Amino acid sequence: MSTKKDLLLPSEELPPPSYEQTPSNYYVLEDFEKPISECNIYIRTIFQKRVFKLLFFQISFTFLVQTLFYNNIFSTSFLSNGFVYWSCFIGAFITLISLSFAISPILNPDGEVMNLENNQFGWMISYNMQLFILFLFTLFESVLVSFITIHYNKKQLMTAVFITLVIIITAYTVSSYKAHQYEQYEMNNNLDMLVDEESTLSMVYKVMWCITSGLFAFGFVLIFIPHSSVAELIFSWIGAVLFSIYLFVDMYMVFRKVRPNEEIRCCVMLYTDIINLFLNILRIVAHNSDN
């Protein structure tokens, strides 16, 4: 007997379904209660395409905003307004929290919500509304990044962009390769390797949590005490390494561990990884070019 994971694509090409109106022959509630790696190939393909398309839009939009401010198409005097900065900061924080705890409703063919009684903590927000909130979050973050990038020259910015792109491509390649490896182990019922996968991810997250806590504490201390450029350089190097690891792990989660209706949340975590990685690399590049 074939399982859902063995299902092939339909003979007739269907348009990608939304998570609010999903064809009953492909999605059932159980599909959204298990990791993406256990879903059939159709669900996995649609999910991953959506995640990386939305992420590409976020990065492209952020790059466009930086270009407009940097070339003074949008007046940089707009960025000297403290009200604008704090409005964007608060807006980014609120939209981030909203998306982090948003739950996408899953509707059956009759239009009834199937996941009302689940164990997830959060609030039900329609998929289209999540897309709108994601756009607002990207807009707020793009303006906040502009407050930083206008202080660097074009060579420093393009060098940081190039290095960030190389790391993104490397993280995508390595994470997809490792995900494919573990998928083969899963198909061969290699339980030892699957247990090793879980323990490795758990250990990596614990280590990253400790380093992240230390990095935030270090950064908080630097705000209040005089410090040299060497201290900022150390801070930036630790941040660059940390968010490179976060990017790899979060991409791996997209291939293996998240649920099929968590694509917006995946976009948020990958986008924040990339932005923080870019800003840390930018500080490193600027420091090296000044010396």
Side-chain angles (χ1 to χ4, degrees):
M1 181 181 293
S2 63
T3 62
K4 290 179 185 175
K5 195 167 185 176
D6 299 322
L7 291 176
L8 298 177
L9 289 172
S11 55
E12 296 184 7
E13 187 175 354
L14 297 177
S18 71
Y19 290 124
E20 296 179 353
Q21 295 177 334
T22 53
S24 57
N25 59 323
Y26 283 107
Y27 292 128
V28 293
L29 181 59
E30 288 74 16
D31 287 326
F32 295 89
E33 295 179 336
K34 59 188 179 183
I36 190 67
S37 60
E38 297 179 16
C39 298
N40 67 59
I41 186 66
Y42 182 75
I43 296 177
R44 281 183 286 156
T45 302
I46 294 298
F47 170 79
Q48 289 161 11
K49 281 184 178 179
R50 281 175 164 167
V51 169
F52 291 111
K53 280 182 180 179
L54 286 173
L55 181 63
F56 177 78
F57 163 76
Q58 289 179 278
I59 299 301
S60 300
F61 181 82
T62 302
F63 183 81
L64 175 62
V65 171
Q66 309 314 302
T67 303
L68 293 175
F69 275 116
Y70 198 84
N71 293 299
N72 212 27
I73 298 174
F74 287 167
S75 176
T76 53
S77 61
F78 178 77
L79 299 176
S80 62
N81 191 322
F83 176 77
V84 172
Y85 176 83
W86 286 108
S87 296
C88 290
F89 181 84
I90 295 171
F93 180 78
I94 292 174
T95 51
L96 176 62
I97 295 299
S98 300
L99 293 174
S100 298
F101 295 100
I103 301 173
S104 298
I106 304 167
L107 306 184
N108 62 20
D110 297 325
E112 299 173 344
V113 179
M114 296 189 292
N115 57 329
L116 276 177
E117 298 180 0
N118 57 26
N119 297 322
Q120 288 182 276
F121 174 78
W123 40 80
M124 198 78 68
I125 302 178
S126 70
Y127 181 73
N128 290 335
M129 180 57 69
Q130 287 187 51
L131 285 177
F132 177 69
I133 298 174
L134 180 67
F135 169 74
L136 290 179
F137 171 71
T138 307
L139 174 62
F140 292 139
E141 280 291 315
S142 299
V143 176
L144 288 174
V145 172
S146 299
F147 277 91
I148 300 173
T149 55
I150 59 171
H151 299 294
Y152 297 88
N153 61 49
K154 290 183 179 179
K155 183 179 179 181
Q156 293 168 344
L157 288 170
M158 295 313 297
T159 302
V161 167
F162 176 75
I163 295 173
T164 305
L165 283 176
V166 170
I167 295 175
I168 292 172
I169 294 171
T170 303
Y172 176 86
T173 304
V174 174
S175 59
S176 60
Y177 172 75
K178 293 299 293 182
H180 179 71
Q181 264 192 331
Y182 278 105
E183 185 175 331
Q184 294 298 317
Y185 295 145
E186 198 170 46
M187 293 176 64
N188 296 329
N189 292 321
N190 192 332
L191 299 181
D192 291 337
M193 293 304 298
L194 296 178
V195 171
D196 179 66
E197 177 192 28
E198 295 293 337
S199 61
T200 301
L201 282 175
S202 177
M203 181 188 68
V204 169
Y205 264 112
K206 288 177 181 177
V207 172
M208 289 197 302
W209 174 251
C210 293
I211 297 175
T212 303
S213 301
L215 187 67
F216 275 115
F218 184 37
F220 184 77
V221 170
L222 290 181
I223 296 175
F224 298 101
I225 64 172
H227 56 273
S228 63
S229 59
V230 176
E232 289 189 3
L233 182 63
I234 294 173
F235 179 85
S236 299
W237 268 108
I238 296 174
V241 173
L242 178 65
F243 284 105
S244 296
I245 298 173
Y246 266 123
L247 183 60
F248 163 74
V249 174
D250 288 340
M251 281 194 175
Y252 182 81
M253 298 290 282
V254 169
F255 288 110
R256 291 281 299 165
K257 296 299 180 181
V258 296
R259 295 179 180 181
N261 63 332
E262 293 181 332
E263 67 181 45
I264 303 295
R265 195 173 299 172
C266 292
C267 291
V268 171
M269 65 186 187
L270 290 174
Y271 177 75
T272 53
D273 291 341
I274 292 170
I275 293 300
N276 282 288
L277 174 63
F278 167 73
L279 293 178
N280 281 289
I281 291 174
L282 181 58
R283 285 194 290 266
I284 294 171
V285 170
H287 181 274
N288 292 338
S289 62
D290 290 341
N291 294 331

